[in-house]
Amino acid sequence: MKHVRACVFGTALAMIVGTAMAEVPDRGIKIGVLTDLSGVYTDLTGVGSIEAARMAVEDFGGTMDGKPISIVSADGQNKADVGASIARKWIDEDNVDTIVDTPNTAIALAVQEITRTKNKILLNTSAGSTVFTNKACSPTSFQWVYDSYAMANGTARSVVVEGGKSWYFITADYGFGQSLEKDATDIVLANGGKVLGSVRHPLNNSDFSSFLLKAQSSGADVIAFANGGADLINSVKQAHEFGVGGGKQRLAAMVIFITDIHALGLDQAQGLLLTSGFYWDMDELNRAWSARWSARMGRRKPTMLHAGVYSAVLHFLRAVKAANSTEGDAVAAKMRELPIDDFFARNGSIRPDGRVIHDMYLAQVKTPAESKGPWDYLKIVRTIPAAEAFRPLSLSECPLVQK
């Protein structure tokens, strides 16, 4: 009888182990790049994010144990309902295992909730609100590249220390803009500055004249743009057209990408301080990867969001391999367990709240005379260590964090 029971137990155990060992499906792995192909963030993400994901798949080997790794992509149109609908279809009908990019806070929040309930992985490489790793945190969601705290912590602190004590914000009126303004305000106040006011504009706005004149009349030392993409470019261009930001007033871009600087030109962008998680010309590793990306994308250079997509997708695939599973909880556990150390995520690790921490960089836009040619736009002022760059875990409101 003992022998029979042992055989039955052994058979059951073998079935359990066999099931676990077969969890990577024969259909292979499918990655969904939910991006912006037609809106204000298309240059920051868009086709460049799709190519970055493809590069990660190719560098991983293109297959996993002989099973294909494929990529699908779609335009979220900066609309939460559109993005959510795509995510549901991908997961329910198309067997997508992870969704990456999501360059819109409303879309990313909707997708984060869907992936939470479906036990799938979200690699949020583009949406920057800190809400993702606070009250809305998810055990299967990761915020990879940056957030509003890290950007404000690097840039606002430096501007205040340099003498920019009074601030006025021109803010995009949606989740990311509001989060960016709040985090920057906290940094300004904590460093002895003050905020004289703010005004909010709709996403994808074209006329900033009234907002700029209000900011100018405030008399603030610093007029700060808590927006991004085409909205930021139009803000800065129109500020120069109206003569706003000259003299004693400074312009500060709380989130600015190399593509924004390229669109503005060094004449208008020179001298701006900014925080970034990546710069294509920072060292040989970054130059090598960027050269490969540029060969696919023409003469452009990648943003930190493109680099982040590559890093996140490659780490996801390594975790799937290590877990021998595509189940979200199993993959998430391996992602937290495995170290991250690639050209993008220096000194990288994943916290319990899903925040990927890595070194960030304070940079300054070069003058036209300092630039040696196209895309030679930044000089690195200092490295912001991973432990310093992001909001301390002790301040997290994420339910996954044990106080």
Side-chain angles (χ1 to χ4, degrees):
M1 181 63 69
K2 290 181 180 179
H3 177 72
V4 172
R5 287 177 179 172
C7 289
V8 171
F9 175 76
T11 301
L13 181 61
M15 290 176 64
I16 293 171
V17 172
T19 300
M21 294 296 289
E23 286 185 358
V24 175
D26 291 337
R27 61 173 171 77
I29 311 298
K30 189 173 286 188
I31 298 163
V33 184
L34 184 55
T35 190
D36 182 357
L37 295 171
S38 58
V40 295
Y41 304 126
T42 184
D43 286 343
L44 311 180
T45 58
V47 176
S49 289
I50 299 169
E51 287 302 317
R54 287 175 178 156
M55 290 172 67
V57 170
E58 291 167 11
D59 286 354
F60 184 78
T63 63
M64 188 173 297
D65 299 330
K67 302 167 186 176
I69 303 171
S70 59
I71 290 176
V72 296
S73 60
D75 184 357
Q77 301 177 35
N78 288 308
K79 298 177 181 177
D81 57 340
V82 173
S85 177
I86 292 168
R88 288 194 187 94
K89 180 181 182 300
W90 275 354
I91 293 172
D92 293 341
E93 300 178 23
D94 300 334
N95 298 313
V96 166
D97 298 295
T98 184
I99 296 174
V100 63
D101 207 359
T102 59
N104 177 288
T105 295
I107 289 177
L109 280 172
V111 174
Q112 180 158 297
E113 189 56 33
I114 292 168
T115 53
R116 181 208 306 267
T117 58
K118 302 288 186 179
N119 194 28
K120 296 294 183 180
I121 297 292
L122 171 62
L123 303 171
N124 170 11
T125 55
S126 297
S129 172
T130 53
V131 69
F132 297 101
T133 54
N134 276 290
K135 293 180 179 179
C137 69
S138 164
T140 59
S141 176
F142 303 93
Q143 192 169 25
W144 209 268
V145 177
Y146 75 112
D147 58 34
S148 54
Y149 178 91
M151 304 307 273
N153 184 41
T155 305
R157 185 190 304 274
S158 297
V159 173
V160 173
V161 169
E162 286 188 350
K165 297 296 185 181
S166 60
W167 288 57
Y168 190 99
F169 287 93
I170 296 177
T171 303
D173 193 13
Y174 77 114
F176 172 64
Q178 295 162 16
S179 177
L180 189 57
E181 179 186 328
K182 180 186 182 303
D183 288 328
T185 296
D186 291 344
I187 296 295
V188 169
L189 297 177
N191 285 273
K194 58 184 177 179
V195 175
L196 302 183
S198 67
V199 64
R200 292 180 176 177
H201 67 81
L203 184 66
N204 203 16
N205 192 52
S206 59
D207 183 4
F208 289 87
S209 57
S210 63
F211 307 127
L212 289 165
L213 293 174
K214 284 182 181 179
Q216 184 182 47
S217 64
S218 73
D221 298 331
V222 181
I223 298 173
F225 299 110
N227 53 14
D231 284 333
L232 171 64
I233 293 168
N234 288 332
S235 298
V236 177
K237 282 184 174 180
Q238 290 176 33
H240 281 272
E241 290 172 7
F242 288 105
V244 175
K248 295 181 179 180
Q249 283 188 319
R250 293 185 59 179
L251 302 180
M254 303 314 301
V255 176
I256 187 169
F257 296 85
I258 194 168
T259 46
D260 302 326
I261 297 168
H262 186 73
L264 286 167
L266 292 182
D267 285 338
Q268 297 189 26
Q270 62 181 305
L272 282 174
L273 285 171
L274 60 104
T275 303
S276 183
F278 165 86
Y279 177 49
W280 73 270
D281 199 26
M282 188 177 74
D283 59 24
E284 190 54 43
L285 286 175
N286 286 10
R287 283 191 288 272
W289 183 85
S290 299
R292 292 174 53 209
W293 184 92
S294 295
R296 297 166 176 253
M297 295 296 299
R299 296 181 179 180
R300 296 174 55 191
K301 294 299 181 184
T303 67
M304 67 173 173
L305 305 184
H306 298 138
V309 167
Y310 175 93
S311 175
V313 170
L314 188 59
H315 191 72
F316 164 79
L317 291 173
R318 289 170 174 165
V320 171
K321 177 71 173 177
N324 198 28
S325 173
T326 57
E327 293 298 314
D329 50 1
V331 176
K334 280 297 178 184
M335 289 181 68
R336 287 183 168 89
E337 177 184 322
L338 296 174
I340 311 171
D341 190 14
D342 53 36
F343 74 91
F344 168 77
R346 312 290 172 94
N347 302 313
S349 62
I350 302 177
R351 302 191 316 196
D353 58 356
R355 174 68 262 172
V356 178
I357 62 169
H358 49 79
D359 292 347
M360 297 287 285
Y361 308 96
L362 181 67
Q364 188 172 33
V365 180
K366 292 182 176 181
T367 66
E370 291 173 320
S371 176
K372 298 177 181 178
W375 300 97
D376 178 26
Y377 296 154
L378 299 181
K379 48 188 176 184
I380 303 299
V381 176
R382 76 178 183 97
T383 297
I384 306 172
E388 176 188 330
F390 297 93
R391 186 192 300 275
L393 190 59
S394 60
L395 300 179
S396 175
E397 299 176 89
C398 172
L400 301 173
V401 177
Q402 295 183 356
K403 302 297 182 182

